[in-house]
């Protein structure tokens, strides 16, 4: 019997990054009014772009590049308070 992994739900992958599980840029932009709510709370979206990411990807491969992204995410999460 073939043990190929199940394909991720297409809706999930279009709304969330497959490596980090975070919402995509388009998801955040479209959800900003809902996140701010009726009280018109300020919503801030921060996006980061790693310099030379493509060079890392080409030189060291997808697995290493994915781990690089996950490590960066973990470091950023340590810096942001839980109540934000």
């Amino acid at each position: 019997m073939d043990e190929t992994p199940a394909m991720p739900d297409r809706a999930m992958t279009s709304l969330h990054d497959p490596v980090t599980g975070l919402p995509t840029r388009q998801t955040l932009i479209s959800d900003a009014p809902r996140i701010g709510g009726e009280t018109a709370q300020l919503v801030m979206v921060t996006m980061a772009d790693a310099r030379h990411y493509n060079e890392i990807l080409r030189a060291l491969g997808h697995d290493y590049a994915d781990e690089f992204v996950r490590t960066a995410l973990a470091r950023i999460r340590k810096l942001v308070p839980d109540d934000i």
Side-chain angles (χ1 to χ4, degrees), residues 3-58:
E3 293 285 331
T4 56
M7 293 296 291
D9 179 18
R10 177 171 256 152
M12 174 65 175
T13 58
S14 67
L15 300 175
H16 294 81
D17 177 78
V19 174
T20 63
L22 293 173
T24 62
R25 178 179 307 181
Q26 189 57 44
T27 300
L28 290 171
I29 291 168
S30 65
D31 283 356
R34 183 186 56 78
I35 294 168
E38 292 180 17
T39 60
Q41 295 179 4
L42 178 64
V43 175
M44 181 178 91
V45 176
T46 301
M47 295 173 208
D49 186 18
R51 292 181 72 190
H52 309 294
Y53 177 78
N54 285 332
E55 287 85 355
I56 293 170
L57 181 64
R58 281 194 296 275

